[in-house]
Each structure stands twice: as C-alpha cells, then as structure tokens.
Amino acid sequence: MAAAAAGPFSLREVLDAFRRCVTEQREVLLEPYLSGWRGLIRFLQSLGAVFSFISKDAVAKVALLEGHQQQHGFVSLQSLVQHELAAGLAALRARSDSGCRTVLRLHRALRWLQLFLEGLRSGEPRTSVLCTDAYNASLAQHHPWVVRKAATVAFCALPSRDAFLEIMNVGSQEEAVAMLGEAIPYIGNVYSITQELFTQHKLLDLP
Ligand code: 1PX
C-alpha cells in the first residue's frame, strides 16, 4: 500500500491494477481495485488544487472501503456485497456508510473514466470537452446542480491533451495512446462485472 503511493504517477500502474482485478471466476478483487483507485487519485492530486474537492471525496470513499476490507477480510466485491446483503436490502439501503453504496459511487466514476480515456484516445484535443461529455453521460445524472456546476468549472482547468499524455508517464504520445488502448478494455471489464453484480442484487440506486 505504501509502496504504491511512492514515486511519480504512471498510467501503467493503474492499468496493471485493473488488469489484476478480475479473476477467472469473474470476481472483482478488492485489493487491486482500491490500488487502482489510489493511483488515479494520485494523478488527480497532481493536477492541482482546483480538483481537490473531487480527490477529497474519492480519498474518503477509498478509505471507507479499506476500513471495511480490513475489518471483515473481504477479498472480492462479491464477498462484500454478499456480507452486507445478509442483513437485508432494507437495512442496507438505510446505511450511509455501507461498502455497497460507496462502491457504487466509485463504480459510476469508473464509467466516467472509461468514457474519458476513450475520448483521449480518439484524438479530440479539447480535454475539457471530453471530460464534460464523459461526465454528462455518467456521473452528472447522479449529482445535484451545485456539484455539477463545480465540476464543470474545474474541467476548464484541465491540461491539454498533449500535456495529459505526457503526465501519464508511459513514454511517447504514441506509446501513451497504445497504453490507453490496452487499459480501456480492462477498466470496461471491471465496470461491466460490477454493473451486472449490482443489477442482479438491485443495488444500482442505493441512496
Ligand atoms: C489518465 C487519466 C486519469 C484521470 C484520473 C482521474 C481520476 C478521477 C477520480 C474521480 C473520482 C470521483 C469520485 C466521485 C464519487 C461521487 O460521485 N461522489 C459524490 C456523491 O457522493 P455521496 O457520498 O455524497 O453520495 C460526491 O457528491 C462528490 C463530490 C465531488 C465532485 C465529483 C465530481 C466528479 C467529476 C469526475 C471527473 C474527475 C475529473 C478529473 C479530471 C482528470
């Protein structure tokens, strides 16, 4: 955990974490899932203070999940869901600190990430446009007006596509784009397995 926090961000490390996430039985492993998130948060933090209201929320959510993971020894998302559902869906819905509702928030953000990275890969140079489009197609529908407003303002402070590819730290622009092509399916895979799991247990609208 501490080792993952050291050194400059590299997208490679995030890609690696999301690749390690999915087992042959299509389980999503919590340790690499959270490790992938820690990498993304570090990246976000390196973009400057404008984004700190976003990274703070993500940090709090990852910390909550680490707490649950350590307390109960969950290995996978599936075991976390099963454990929390044992108390019944109504009890789960009444909790504001459940692992399930917290995962759901990160899960929606993962969809944003998938769309955003696809946009970066496509070559559109205006990252704020990419980011806004990805946001409107995913997280925005779950956020109140004031959060949407703040997010949209922050997006204007995003670095250019070239700078973005640079700070991903995976080599030349071509190499960065190639790595995106490799990373997106892994992220997509984690997203769709989680989506299936949450659909199956009727957890997609946890308050
Ligand atoms: C190589 C490119 C990597 C880019 C990495 C960027 C990582 C972004 C991580 C974003 C994590 C956001 C989690 C948001 C979870 C959430 O929806 N929280 C809200 C609801 O929580 P609640 O507990 O109240 O039900 C909460 O209200 C959130 C508030 C903060 C604002 C969230 C705006 C999210 C915008 C996502 C886009 C990030 C832009 C990064 C630009 C690179």
Side-chain angles (χ1 to χ4, degrees):
M1 215 178 286
F9 170 86
S10 168
L11 184 70
R12 187 166 282 127
E13 164 200 316
V14 172
L15 158 70
D16 211 59
F18 285 111
R19 183 184 3 225
R20 284 191 292 122
C21 259
V22 177
T23 69
E24 269 175 35
Q25 291 77 36
R26 286 171 56 84
E27 286 200 308
V28 177
L29 299 173
L30 268 178
E31 188 278 319
Y33 186 82
L34 295 176
S35 164
W37 272 107
R38 281 191 291 267
L40 290 169
I41 290 168
R42 268 200 309 132
F43 184 84
L44 189 59
Q45 286 167 339
S46 77
L47 294 180
V50 201
F51 299 97
S52 59
F53 76 107
I54 305 176
S55 59
K56 274 187 192 141
D57 185 69
V59 165
K61 287 182 165 51
V62 169
L64 183 140
L65 289 171
E66 283 168 346
H68 283 278
Q69 183 197 16
Q70 277 157 19
Q71 191 184 347
H72 302 282
F74 301 130
V75 171
S76 67
L77 225 53
Q78 282 79 0
S79 54
L80 179 147
V81 167
Q82 196 176 26
H83 173 88
E84 291 192 343
L85 266 179
L89 187 56
L92 178 52
R93 289 186 68 89
R95 282 179 61 191
S96 62
D97 66 340
S98 71
C100 287
R101 80 164 302 279
T102 306
V103 168
L104 178 63
R105 270 59 184 176
L106 294 182
H107 169 66
R108 291 167 178 163
L110 206 60
R111 176 69 183 155
W112 164 82
L113 180 70
Q114 189 189 355
L115 295 173
F116 179 66
L117 296 182
E118 273 165 13
L120 267 185
R121 187 167 170 252
S122 77
E124 160 65 57
R126 293 165 303 167
T127 46
S128 60
V129 171
L130 286 179
C131 190
T132 307
D133 288 351
Y135 177 70
N136 287 338
S138 59
L139 282 169
Q141 51 197 294
H142 305 286
H143 288 166
W145 183 85
V146 56
V147 171
R148 292 204 304 266
K149 188 76 201 160
T152 314
V153 170
F155 296 161
C156 296
L158 280 174
S160 68
R161 178 174 187 270
D162 287 359
F164 231 100
L165 295 176
E166 176 96 7
I167 52 183
M168 281 178 186
N169 243 316
V170 284
S172 69
Q173 288 222 357
E174 292 71 29
E175 285 170 307
V177 171
M179 166 122 323
L180 285 178
E182 213 187 314
I184 293 164
Y186 286 111
I187 293 170
N189 207 14
V190 172
Y191 180 83
S192 37
I193 296 174
T194 311
Q195 180 74 9
E196 242 170 67
L197 178 71
F198 274 57
T199 307
Q200 183 193 344
H201 295 291
K202 304 190 169 48
L203 298 173
L204 281 174
D205 66 342
L206 282 181

